[in-house]
């Protein structure tokens, strides 16, 4: 099989690069992955995949021998990008690196996933317990993992293993980072900046909340990390108006459930303390990514299968990290999951994002070989 894999990659290298280029030029903000979803479905249909469908969450799902299985393995790569652009973004292939916003996170992985599925079809591999190849939606930001949540609703109780392609080639995320995200709106009476000077200003009141958040001491616990952030602020009317409304988006994160509970109590304390007779505070939770709820031995058993394959291809030890990915959902449900990488990249979530072009070759080899473990 080793020679077959090498031959397939060599023969399809240019096709892989062309597919990546075409995908990169299709905008796909979270909740707006329609065009990429259609592209991925058509791509799979054209290489002979049967039963491919787009579900209500805009996941592209290719079930391979899953009909009667209750031990399905799922491979996912997310089609959405963090960027809001609805027009094609600049794509540059300089021969060594491929530059484009979203190319690494996670468009290159989607490309590898498609090429993995084609390999299985070309080689007529029928996985005994079934594999779902999923180009999933809404992994980024306020997408809130909608795509993966849908997969676990549709295949409830039937998924045994979950592998996400969404990391660097030598990095494996074996722990998930939970997060709670809030939209906080402050409302006051406002007024004319001169005539009503002294009235409560929503921007000033919101600023007090931000200042209090940044006074919070995060819980310290061995082998865990907890953070918080205020990511966006808006409000006000004009330079000569006392603001009646101001809002922000904020979050806290941790890879430990107990620390998440501490942060929830702290944020709720800050929000409540900001309320007053002339100050209203409206809090809306807009994102909820769960922490892990699984026996570590199950994840270790999965690592024992997958890690030797990765290290055998890249020729060095992988590094482990905690991360917030599609794996949050399976790990919170007690399903073994890992997030692995299929390329080398830098600049994720910036417009200077790039992928090392040659790294897609060992990346595809990893994807195919890990896929074969479950076939």
């Amino acid at each position: 099989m080793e020679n077959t894999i090498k031959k397939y990659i060599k023969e399809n290298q240019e096709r892989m690069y062309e597919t990546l280029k075409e995908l990169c030029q299709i905008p796909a903000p979270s909740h707006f992955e329609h065009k990429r979803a259609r592209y991925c479905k058509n791509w799979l249909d054209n290489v002979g995949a049967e039963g491919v469908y787009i579900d209500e969450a805009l996941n592209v799902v290719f079930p391979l021998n899953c009909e009667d299985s209750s031990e399905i393995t799922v491979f996912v790569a997310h089609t959405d990008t963090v960027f809001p652009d609805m027009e094609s973004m600049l794509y540059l292939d300089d021969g060594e690196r491929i530059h484009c916003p979203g190319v690494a996170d996670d468009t290159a992985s989607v490309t590898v996933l498609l090429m993995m599925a084609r390999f299985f079809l070309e080689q007529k591999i029928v996985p005994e317990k079934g594999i779902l190849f999923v180009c999933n939606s809404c992994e980024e930001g306020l997408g809130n993992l909608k795509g993966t949540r849908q997969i676990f609703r549709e295949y409830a109780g039937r998924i045994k293993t979950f592998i996400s392609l969404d990391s660097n080639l030598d990095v494996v995320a074996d722990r998930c980072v939970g997060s709670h995200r809030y939209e906080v709106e402050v409302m006051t009476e406002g007024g004319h900046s001169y005539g009503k000077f002294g009235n409560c200003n929503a921007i000033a009141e919101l600023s007090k909340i931000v200042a209090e958040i940044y006074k919070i001491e995060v819980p310290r616990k061995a082998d865990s990390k907890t953070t918080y952030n205020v990511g966006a602020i808006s409000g006000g009317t004009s330079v000569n108006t006392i603001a009646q409304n101001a809002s922000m988006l904020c979050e806290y994160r941790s890879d430990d459930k107990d620390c998440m509970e501490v942060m929830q109590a702290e944020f709720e304390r800050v929000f409540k303390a900001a309320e007053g007779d002339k100050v209203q505070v409206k809090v809306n939770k807009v994102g909820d990514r769960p922490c892990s709820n699984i026996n570590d031995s199950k994840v270790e058993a999965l690592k024992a299968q997958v890690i030797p394959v990765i290290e055998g291809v890249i020729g060095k030890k992988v590094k482990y990290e905690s991360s917030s990915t599609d794996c949050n959902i399976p790990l919170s449900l007690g399903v073994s999951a890992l997030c692995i990488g299929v390329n080398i990249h830098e600049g994720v979530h910036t417009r200077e994002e790039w992928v090392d072009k040659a790294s897609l070759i060992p990346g595809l080899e990893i994807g195919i070989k890990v896929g074969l473990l479950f076939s």
Side-chain angles (χ1 to χ4, degrees):
M1 184 60 77
E2 181 79 24
N3 289 338
T4 301
I5 294 170
K6 297 285 189 184
K7 181 173 183 288
Y8 173 81
I9 294 173
K10 183 177 180 179
E11 291 177 350
N12 290 280
Q13 183 176 331
E14 292 306 316
R15 181 175 192 154
M16 178 168 59
Y17 295 146
E18 185 60 30
T19 299
L20 176 55
K21 180 180 180 179
E22 291 173 353
L23 274 169
C24 278
Q25 293 174 329
I26 304 172
S30 301
H31 302 291
F32 295 93
E33 302 95 337
H34 307 72
K35 291 182 180 180
R36 277 201 186 184
R38 286 197 297 271
Y39 176 96
C40 292
K41 182 183 185 303
N42 291 339
W43 195 99
L44 288 165
D45 289 342
N46 289 337
V47 298
E50 296 181 358
V52 182
Y53 64 95
I54 299 175
D55 67 20
E56 62 186 60
L58 297 180
N59 295 315
V60 182
V61 185
F62 172 32
L64 191 56
N65 199 39
C66 295
E67 290 81 1
D68 301 314
S69 177
S70 59
E71 297 184 50
I72 295 169
T73 297
V74 181
F75 285 91
V76 305
H78 66 86
T79 55
D80 61 321
T81 73
V82 74
F83 301 95
D85 305 55
M86 292 302 292
E87 300 295 331
S88 296
M89 292 179 282
L90 180 64
Y91 178 95
L92 173 64
D93 180 350
D94 65 13
E96 181 179 341
R97 295 175 177 176
I98 298 173
H99 306 258
C100 186
V103 63
D105 188 13
D106 197 28
T107 312
S109 299
V110 174
T111 303
V112 168
L113 184 76
L114 293 173
M115 298 299 296
M116 286 171 58
R118 185 176 185 273
F119 178 85
F120 272 67
L121 291 167
E122 188 177 280
Q123 299 301 315
K124 297 180 171 56
I125 298 167
V126 181
E128 181 182 350
K129 296 178 180 178
I131 288 178
L132 276 183
F133 294 99
V134 183
C135 304
N136 68 285
S137 67
C138 284
E139 191 275 341
E140 295 290 0
L142 297 182
N144 204 34
L145 308 181
K146 181 175 76 172
T148 296
R149 293 178 195 272
Q150 174 64 26
I151 292 297
F152 275 87
R153 280 193 296 269
E154 184 173 351
Y155 292 87
R158 299 177 60 199
I159 297 173
K160 182 180 180 182
T161 306
F162 185 96
I163 306 288
S164 172
L165 310 182
D166 191 9
S167 187
N168 236 309
L169 203 60
D170 61 346
V171 176
V172 172
D174 59 345
R175 296 181 66 186
C176 65
V177 177
S179 64
H180 289 162
R181 289 161 174 171
Y182 300 95
E183 181 181 46
V184 181
E185 183 180 12
V186 174
M187 293 159 283
T188 62
E189 55 189 335
H192 191 282
S193 64
Y194 190 82
K196 293 295 182 180
F197 181 70
N199 282 7
C200 288
N201 184 310
I203 292 173
E205 298 301 322
L206 182 64
S207 298
K208 293 176 186 177
I209 296 175
V210 174
E212 288 301 311
I213 287 174
Y214 276 82
K215 291 178 184 177
I216 294 173
E217 290 287 336
V218 297
R220 306 291 180 183
K221 195 172 181 180
D223 299 322
S224 71
K225 181 179 179 180
T226 303
T227 66
Y228 54 77
N229 185 56
V230 175
I233 292 179
S234 62
T237 302
S238 68
V239 70
N240 59 337
T241 300
I242 299 170
Q244 287 184 290
N245 297 79
S247 63
M248 70 171 175
L249 292 171
C250 58
E251 69 165 15
Y252 51 85
R253 298 183 178 215
S254 183
D255 54 7
D256 182 270
K257 290 176 67 177
D258 294 337
C259 294
M260 286 286 287
E261 291 176 4
V262 171
M263 293 304 296
Q264 180 173 341
E266 285 292 288
F267 267 56
E268 289 176 355
R269 173 187 62 80
V270 170
F271 297 151
K272 186 173 180 59
E275 295 177 337
D277 293 339
K278 296 183 179 181
V279 180
Q280 299 178 53
V281 179
K282 181 180 177 182
V283 180
N284 181 30
K285 184 185 281 188
V286 293
D288 188 346
R289 296 191 177 207
C291 278
S292 180
N293 186 28
I294 188 172
N295 188 307
D296 288 345
S297 63
K298 292 177 69 174
V299 177
E300 291 301 316
L302 180 57
K303 287 163 65 175
Q305 289 179 279
V306 172
I307 301 308
V309 172
I310 298 172
E311 293 180 342
V313 173
I314 66 176
K316 62 179 180 179
K317 294 290 185 182
V318 301
K319 297 172 285 189
Y320 296 102
E321 66 175 24
S322 299
S323 189
S324 178
T325 69
D326 285 301
C327 291
N328 285 49
I329 300 302
L331 289 172
S332 73
L333 297 172
V335 174
S336 300
L338 286 177
C339 181
I340 67 174
V342 289
N343 59 77
I344 294 172
H345 58 259
E346 287 288 351
V348 165
H349 287 202
T350 76
R351 293 188 181 271
E352 292 72 45
E353 191 170 343
W354 57 264
V355 162
D356 180 278
K357 188 174 181 179
S359 71
L360 288 165
I361 296 171
L364 179 54
E365 183 178 350
I366 288 170
I368 291 171
K369 287 182 175 179
V370 171
L372 290 173
L373 292 174
F374 303 96
S375 59

